[in-house]
Amino acid sequence: MIDIRDRRGLSIILITHDLGIVAQTCDRIAVLRGGKLLEEGPKRAILARPQHPYTINLINSHPSLPGAISAPLPELAEASNPARPLLEIDDLHVRFRAGGALLRGGAKTVSAVAGVSLQIMPGETVGIVGESGSGKSTLARAVLGLTPLSSGHVTFDGVDLALQKSAGLGKLRRETAMVFQDPYNALNPRLTIGQMLAEVLKVQGKVARADIPARIGELLDLVGLEREFAGRKPRSMSGGQCQRAGIARALAVDPKLIIADECVAALDVTIQAQIIELFRELTAKMNLTLIFIAHDLAIVRNLCERVVVMYRGEIVEEGRSEEVFARPKHPYTAALIAAIPDIDPDKRLLQDAVGKDDPHSMPIQPIKRMP
Ligand SMILES: Nc1ncnc2c1ncn2[C@@H]1O[C@H](COP(=O)(O)OP(=O)(O)OP(=O)(O)O)[C@@H](O)[C@H]1O
Ligand SMILES: [Mg+2]
């Protein structure tokens, strides 16, 4: 977009939650809240000397600032049975046929997940990062039984999905949940939030029918939505509110494992910080295991004890978050870290900062300015 702007002399109005991107690309910033323009001015002035308390809060919540969302990292969970992982992925492959008869040469195969092995212990919070198309969502869907495995094994709580298919799928349905990136598409537009939660609770069958309304209230409290949202439909709600409803739905099944796929990407940083804090509380309180897929490395660094870096369907690096972010071993991880748009407009992106003849650069696709 910036290239096109420069070449064609376009004006761009960029609407985004990502202050890092604003800092890197825009000339002027206008801050909107509750339908009102709170302040407006050149980006350096706004970022360095915000006037309105809301803007100050927005800037302070930016995850590129060290310690922004921070609370002390939770201790590595000492589960009652620490020997057995909750989730074990062994040499998993997922291949898709792509192209099809419309293209000359017929269908070809895409290896979306190419030999992934990973163990996740109960109570762990693990981040999965990697560029667009690296196979993160496919891995998540395969783990939850939503996409067929081409080969390899996924064992959830001792049940092998490939060997005990129906038992495994049943167990996954009852004990896992997914939170999606696009909250509008993930929620049924015809149901109110209350109806949606009631449906999940009925299928789950753990809560007596008479207690369902009370449980719906509890779930809304848990995710910080007013109780009146039980009567609202997704279309009348903001993205952040829908995402909270999506998290309430995930929690309704009382899951052992939640996989959150880009679930805060569409939210502004203050709401992001709240949702991250919510996940942190929930994982601590409920001994929940969380797999958190995100493009935003700063959030992963803040939330997850362990991080897994995927590149073209494979895990290229894995380890404790502090360790991986401080001393990345794989050049791809280093490139990902360098590409975090900084809130400081004078700290340039990797593309500008790293010379083309950098001896450490590897033949990867260029890091996009706008993830
Ligand atoms: N149903 C499908 N049919 C064919 N190809 C698919 C299908 N689903 C995913 N792919 C391909 O598999 C690869 C991995 O996709 P995936 O959605 O897992 O990436 P991702 O890491 O989640 O990316 P993003 O960060 O953009 O969400 C991509 O090349 C994608 O085009
Ligand atoms: Mg994805």
Side-chain angles (χ1 to χ4, degrees), residues 96-98 110 112 130-139 261-262 295:
F96 294 113
R97 278 157 61 85
V110 178
E131 69 182 357
S132 192
S134 55
K136 306 178 297 294
S137 298
T138 307
L139 177 64
D261 190 356
E262 304 279 357
H295 279 291

Side-chain angles (χ1 to χ4, degrees), residues 2 4 9 12 69 76 103 111 117 132 134 156-157 171 184 197-198 206 212 223 245 270 304 325 366:
I2 297 304
I4 295 172
I12 295 179
I69 306 177
L76 270 181
L103 293 178
S111 236
S117 298
S132 192
S134 55
F156 175 71
D157 204 12
K171 200 169 162 56
Y184 288 104
L197 292 174
K206 283 188 194 162
I212 286 182
V223 298
T270 50
C304 305
F325 288 117

Side-chain angles (χ1 to χ4, degrees), residues 31-181:
V31 183
L32 210 64
R33 191 195 194 190
K36 291 207 187 83
L37 189 62
L38 295 185
E39 64 184 301
E40 196 254 297
K43 77 173 163 199
R44 282 185 178 74
I46 299 271
L47 290 172
R49 291 177 302 281
Q51 299 301 313
H52 197 282
Y54 175 71
T55 316
I56 296 172
N57 193 19
L58 261 187
I59 292 172
N60 288 338
S61 303
H62 192 268
S64 83
L65 297 174
I69 306 177
S70 70
L73 273 173
E75 298 285 305
L76 270 181
E78 279 301 327
S80 47
N81 178 8
R84 193 174 87 178
L86 179 66
L87 180 69
E88 214 169 345
I89 303 169
D90 184 26
D91 196 24
L92 178 66
H93 289 259
V94 178
R95 286 178 282 267
F96 294 113
R97 278 157 61 85
L102 282 177
L103 293 178
R104 235 184 314 161
K108 72 176 197 152
T109 309
V110 178
S111 236
V113 175
V116 163
S117 298
L118 184 64
Q119 295 195 337
I120 293 181
M121 302 305 285
E124 243 194 324
T125 300
V126 177
I128 301 184
V129 301
E131 69 182 357
S132 192
S134 55
K136 306 178 297 294
S137 298
T138 307
L139 177 64
R141 295 176 56 79
V143 161
L144 296 184
L146 302 172
T147 289
L149 323 177
S150 302
S151 68
H153 290 273
V154 170
T155 309
F156 175 71
D157 204 12
V159 178
D160 187 316
L161 200 55
L163 301 179
Q164 300 148 272
K165 197 155 186 224
S166 61
L169 285 177
K171 200 169 162 56
L172 285 171
R173 296 279 129 78
R174 288 189 305 275
E175 298 179 6
T176 66
M178 185 144 176
V179 181
F180 297 91
Q181 169 172 13

Side-chain angles (χ1 to χ4, degrees), residues 67 82 105 122 159 183 285 297 302:
V159 178
K285 238 193 278 174
L297 302 192
N302 278 326

